[in-house]
Amino acid sequence: GLHESLPIYSGGLGILAGDHCKAASDLGVPLIGVGLLYNHGYFRQRLNAAGQQEAIYERLDFTVAPIKAATNANGHDVIIKVELPGRQVSAKIWTVSVGRVTICLLDTDIEQNSAADRKFSSQLYGGDREMRVAQEIILGIGGVRALRAMGISPSVWHLNEGHSAFLTLELMRELVHGGLSFSEAMEAVASTCAFTTHTPVPAGNDAFSFEVMETFFSTYWPKLRLDRDSFLTLGSEEVNGQSMFSMTILALRMSRHANGVSALHGAVSRKMWESLWPSIPTAEIPIGSITNGVHVQTWVAPELATLFDEFLGARWRTHTGENPSWSKVAEIPDERLWEVHSALKAKLVEFARNRIKARRLRLGETPAMIRQADTLLDPKALTIGFARRFATYKRAKLLFRDIERLTRLVSDPDRPVQIIFAGKSHPADSAGKELIQQIVELSHQPELRGKIVFLENYDMAMARHLVQGVDIWLNNPRRPMEASGTSGQKAALNGVPNLSILDGWWCEGYDGTNGWAIGEPREYRDLDAQDDADSDSLYQLLEAVIVPSFYAGDFGSGADWQGIVKSSIISCAGLFSSQRMVEDYLQKIYRPTAETWLRFAADEFAIAKDRAAWRAKVERSWGQIWLEADSHQPTHLTVGEPLRVKARLQPGALAANELSVELIVQREDQSDEDCLKVVTMTGIGIEDGWLIYQGEIAPEVGGTFSYAVRVMPKYEALQGRAELDLVFWAVPITEKANAHRVSLRH
């Protein structure tokens, strides 16, 4: 999602990818993007007279689109091929220049392909499961071949969501073809791949039946020197009793770095995928987090940017991630900030009126109704914006849960409130489309008419008007199903405070001065109870806090309201910029992954070969290990009182320096996974053939503690402690029973 002139995006994830590339360009990060060139893009949304969403697909005009064909040294188009069942499909490579970053887009709508195969790059989110897996083969396997054809050899492959995970198979195929065994190739590929998951919603994680995978990959897995079962194990998961091949599981298994897109989403993802690491506590599952951000230069209003230039200096434009620059927003006079916002709000009202008028003209409504569009919305009224993908978990109708309270809110002649809705539903999401229709119908009720409007065909152009022009940005997803969300970050950047559930990024962004938090930061078993509690909190905030605060001055120009506006910008603009986000990726993932790849690839992949041999040895020898420790009974400790534990180990065929014996302690009344403490125990000698270890922890807070002792593999080139998921949990020294797991997971 770079700009509305190239409509190959659907929403948040696509726009985030565009902002990521723009920030990489700003920072000079040598990044290249790979995607599909959807000739018909994502659909243009049209609402019929009944408020039903209609999807209109328009072919992209390549002669005016900001793209160009990639050519080789001989000036010929770059075309690659991928194998699909019974044939090869060709894809032409187009490029988009985003500053110093290039994006490569694959296009199958070329004369070399059959009519059916030309449709693979026809539209975003179109077709059945076979179409989907074919598109992901073209993206992943074809994407690797495209970069190779262009002479590009990345040291880091960033799988941005699981859709591209097949690229790991192609990287392994290359190495196996070059002489490595599959296990050696797997070690090497995992060292160069990083994976970002963007959704805690199961439906957002692609999975294909084994039958579909066999159809598409039966001739591919022999190239990896694998049989059917070994290949399918790479992504195997059980879904409602059926064996499926999960793209997310493949990506997690083939990447040594994985992250969610907010701190809460990282925790949710660790819980969601804990079955892949059954031997360790959830807190240690190797999925971290890097919170999303937005490209400041793309989303800040030009009028506001001019004001920033005056009071912040030019540095904010090139160093958007620096919070000290943004602190100078406090020096902007309230009246100047309000003057700019009022102008942006007037532009939004004019934009909305024109959009509504155009729809009424298209539907053939009466001249009176068409003229009425020119007076819709009050530029002085408190204006709430709600614009996003219409998925049911985002609860677009939460504000309508109590129509009487809502009617009182929007009908107060002295303190009017108006709400602008916008957003598309996935074409196959009947529930989402029904939500849109219901909101359109509600907006026509006499008591709400003119106070609530729905703008059709949400895109980046409309998004800019909304995040720059409304007074409040509303977001009320069902916690914890919003991985991050970025629309609220764009609003905050423009001085539009957030009114949001404490989910996704807002858990980190909200500080009590820069907006409002709806409901409590917890999950509910009873979803109706959650909706009741959150809607009541939403109404109370609007009735008792937000509306009175907005109208305490002159339509939002009061000092108290402007203080919230300034705090919104100061606290969020830098911290939630895509520049900060990409810097995090660079420091936490890109640089260490690149360095690891260089080590693994050196000397004809000597480390990869050594690791594969070591892994095989450890897995073969693990059943010979035995570990005993002091009793695991919960223990009450006071502050500073050390917990001392002894353990003894029979290492079997492994050497002591290949193993790490650890003491794990957690306070029993705390569920926060961050309170887990791990101490490496010290070897102190040998007794009767046992290796003896001891360790201690002195708690900083008193209480009752659970503890356990374990042994894990230790190897210099391990990239993550839990990488092998081989753990032996100690049995009490006094017991001679079978080894058992001491669970600290919950």
Side-chain angles (χ1 to χ4, degrees):
L2 301 168
H3 189 265
E4 58 270 20
S5 62
L6 191 61
I8 59 172
Y9 60 91
S10 70
L13 179 54
I15 293 171
L16 175 71
D19 282 7
H20 193 120
C21 291
K22 292 173 185 177
S25 171
D26 295 341
L27 292 166
V29 177
L31 179 143
I32 187 162
V34 180
L36 298 185
L37 179 59
Y38 298 104
N39 296 269
H40 292 83
Y42 198 45
F43 69 92
R44 181 168 60 83
Q45 182 193 54
R46 191 169 67 186
L47 302 181
N48 64 21
Q52 297 169 324
Q53 172 180 286
E54 297 176 345
I56 309 299
Y57 289 94
E58 297 174 339
R59 185 174 179 82
L60 182 65
D61 185 349
F62 284 20
T63 63
V64 298
I67 60 175
K68 65 179 182 179
T71 56
N72 58 26
N74 297 321
H76 299 137
D77 290 344
V78 178
I79 296 177
I80 57 93
K81 297 179 183 292
V82 296
E83 295 76 28
L84 293 182
R87 80 274 192 198
Q88 287 191 327
V89 174
S90 299
K92 180 178 177 178
I93 313 304
W94 298 80
T95 62
V96 183
S97 294
V98 186
R100 288 174 282 193
V101 164
T102 297
I103 297 175
C104 297
L105 300 173
L106 288 80
D107 173 23
T108 65
D109 189 12
I110 56 178
E111 61 183 12
Q112 290 93 324
N113 294 328
S114 67
D117 290 344
R118 295 178 75 146
K119 293 181 180 179
F120 289 135
S121 62
S122 175
Q123 64 191 49
L124 183 59
Y125 296 141
D128 54 17
R129 302 308 290 168
E130 285 74 15
M131 168 74 82
R132 184 75 161 184
V133 73
Q135 287 179 321
E136 297 190 354
I137 288 171
I138 294 164
L139 172 64
I141 295 175
V144 173
R145 295 178 182 178
L147 295 186
R148 301 302 193 209
M150 296 175 68
I152 298 168
S153 296
S155 56
V156 180
W157 298 80
H158 183 180
L159 289 68
N160 197 37
E161 195 49 273
H163 311 308
S164 59
F166 289 144
L167 75 84
T168 64
L169 303 179
E170 179 66 4
L171 295 178
M172 285 191 289
R173 184 198 64 79
E174 291 178 336
L175 293 174
V176 169
H177 180 73
L180 296 187
S181 68
F182 174 79
S183 59
E184 292 166 348
M186 187 172 178
E187 296 288 351
V189 170
S191 77
T192 192
C193 289
F195 170 57
T196 298
T197 176
H198 291 266
T199 175
V201 182
N205 294 271
D206 276 344
F208 304 106
S209 70
F210 279 7
E211 289 75 17
V212 168
M213 292 299 294
E214 287 183 82
T215 299
F216 281 87
F217 284 95
S218 61
T219 60
Y220 194 93
W221 64 62
K223 299 175 184 178
L224 301 175
R225 299 180 189 167
L226 294 178
D227 57 25
R228 171 193 178 276
D229 292 344
S230 298
F231 174 80
L232 293 175
T233 298
L234 294 174
S236 178
E237 73 168 339
E238 291 294 315
V239 179
N240 298 323
Q242 182 182 3
S243 295
M244 303 288 285
F245 190 95
S246 164
M247 298 294 283
T248 300
I249 289 177
L250 175 64
L252 287 169
R253 285 189 170 140
M254 293 311 308
S255 304
R256 290 293 173 258
H257 290 278
N259 68 284
V261 289
S262 69
L264 178 59
H265 181 229
V268 170
S269 298
R270 288 189 287 276
K271 182 69 176 175
M272 186 174 182
W273 300 106
E274 65 182 7
S275 62
L276 294 183
W277 293 272
S279 301
I280 61 173
T282 305
E284 294 185 301
I285 286 173
I287 302 176
S289 66
I290 293 178
T291 302
N292 285 343
V294 299
H295 189 249
V296 170
Q297 297 274 29
T298 296
W299 296 104
V300 68
E303 299 88 338
L304 196 55
T306 300
L307 197 61
F308 290 163
D309 286 339
E310 182 179 347
F311 288 91
L312 278 63
R315 186 175 177 84
W316 74 270
R317 289 184 177 270
T318 55
H319 295 74
T320 59
E322 289 185 0
N323 281 332
S325 298
W326 295 104
S327 63
K328 295 180 182 178
V329 167
E331 300 172 12
I332 301 176
D334 291 350
E335 60 272 16
R336 296 284 304 280
L337 198 57
W338 175 247
E339 180 184 338
V340 168
H341 179 70
S342 296
L344 293 169
K345 192 172 177 181
K347 283 178 63 176
L348 168 62
V349 169
E350 181 182 8
F351 175 88
R353 288 171 175 174
N354 290 338
R355 185 60 62 93
I356 293 168
K357 187 175 184 178
R359 176 172 178 262
R360 292 181 177 182
L361 279 166
R362 191 190 76 242
L363 293 175
E365 296 194 9
T366 65
M369 287 296 292
I370 293 169
R371 287 193 301 271
Q372 184 196 46
D374 292 329
T375 58
L376 277 175
L377 300 175
D378 180 356
K380 294 185 177 181
L382 173 62
T383 304
I384 300 171
F386 182 100
R388 54 191 38 87
R389 179 166 56 91
F390 266 67
T392 52
Y393 78 85
K394 293 180 182 287
R395 299 191 297 181
K397 280 185 64 182
L398 191 69
L399 197 56
F400 297 89
R401 200 162 178 86
D402 189 330
I403 292 293
E404 291 185 8
R405 290 180 80 173
L406 177 59
T407 300
R408 287 197 299 270
L409 265 173
V410 301
S411 301
D412 186 336
D414 298 321
R415 302 189 303 186
V417 176
Q418 57 196 12
I419 308 161
I420 301 176
F421 284 89
K424 297 177 178 178
S425 170
H426 187 292
D429 183 1
S430 56
K433 289 189 287 188
E434 186 177 341
L435 271 176
I436 292 174
Q437 184 178 8
Q438 290 172 353
I439 289 176
V440 173
E441 290 173 347
L442 286 165
S443 72
H444 293 158
Q445 292 187 3
E447 63 271 24
L448 300 179
R449 185 178 295 126
K451 305 293 185 180
I452 294 173
V453 299
F454 192 104
L455 305 183
E456 68 180 358
N457 199 34
Y458 183 48
D459 64 1
M460 289 182 73
M462 183 186 292
R464 285 194 299 273
H465 280 93
L466 288 168
V467 299
Q468 295 167 6
V470 298
D471 297 306
I472 297 290
W473 194 256
L474 175 63
N475 188 29
N476 43 237
R478 188 181 303 285
R479 178 186 163 110
M481 298 179 74
E482 184 83 283
S484 175
T486 55
S487 62
Q489 297 171 350
K490 297 160 191 164
L493 164 67
N494 285 282
V496 175
N498 278 261
L499 170 59
S500 178
I501 297 290
L502 284 168
D503 197 8
W505 80 278
W506 192 231
C507 293
E508 301 160 59
Y510 174 65
D511 66 8
T513 70
N514 58 357
W516 301 272
I518 302 170
E520 299 177 2
R522 67 183 184 91
E523 287 75 65
Y524 291 75
R525 291 185 178 179
D526 185 332
L527 300 186
D528 283 335
Q530 184 178 14
D531 291 346
D532 286 340
D534 288 345
S535 62
D536 184 62
S537 173
L538 173 55
Y539 292 129
Q540 287 188 25
L541 283 169
L542 288 167
E543 294 163 345
V545 179
I546 296 172
V547 173
S549 178
F550 181 83
Y551 286 104
D554 184 11
F555 306 113
S557 63
D560 289 346
W561 186 266
Q562 289 304 301
I564 297 170
V565 167
K566 290 180 179 179
S567 181
S568 178
I569 300 171
I570 292 169
S571 62
C572 297
L575 185 60
F576 298 103
S577 70
S578 58
Q579 186 178 102
R580 187 276 311 154
M581 175 186 73
V582 172
E583 286 175 339
D584 280 354
Y585 275 104
L586 183 64
Q587 300 301 329
K588 298 178 181 179
I589 295 180
Y590 292 165
R591 180 170 287 135
T593 301
E595 292 171 349
T596 300
W597 165 249
L598 291 175
R599 292 201 311 273
F600 271 59
D603 300 324
E604 298 182 341
F605 296 95
I607 291 180
K609 294 174 181 177
D610 186 60
R611 264 185 51 95
W614 176 82
R615 178 191 288 263
K617 171 188 172 183
V618 170
E619 291 176 344
R620 189 170 57 246
S621 307
W622 199 249
Q624 303 170 21
I625 286 178
W626 188 266
L627 179 67
E628 297 179 355
D630 292 341
S631 173
H632 301 129
Q633 297 301 316
T635 301
H636 185 81
L637 299 172
T638 58
V639 177
E641 178 186 1
L643 169 65
R644 295 188 178 91
V645 178
K646 281 191 175 183
R648 58 184 190 177
L649 172 69
Q650 289 282 2
L654 299 175
N657 63 1
E658 294 179 294
L659 299 168
S660 177
V661 180
E662 299 168 342
L663 170 64
I664 300 92
V665 181
Q666 186 171 27
R667 216 174 84 182
E668 288 211 328
D669 60 349
Q670 291 185 337
S671 58
D672 186 353
E673 62 177 29
D674 292 331
C675 72
L676 195 76
K677 304 297 181 185
V678 179
V679 172
T680 300
M681 300 179 72
T682 304
I684 59 173
I686 301 176
E687 293 180 4
D688 300 327
W690 292 80
L691 300 180
I692 308 301
Y693 293 82
Q694 70 177 11
E696 71 174 51
I697 289 181
E700 298 175 358
V701 179
T704 300
F705 292 80
S706 295
Y707 66 94
V709 177
R710 70 183 177 196
V711 60
M712 298 178 70
K714 182 175 67 174
Y715 182 68
E716 182 180 356
L718 273 178
Q719 292 168 266
R721 292 174 37 74
E723 187 181 320
L724 275 75
D725 193 47
L726 289 176
V727 182
F728 188 102
W729 292 85
V731 297
I733 289 176
T734 56
E735 294 183 12
K736 296 298 180 183
N738 291 329
H740 67 281
R741 166 84 190 279
V742 179
S743 176
L744 293 173
R745 171 157 284 171
H746 304 295

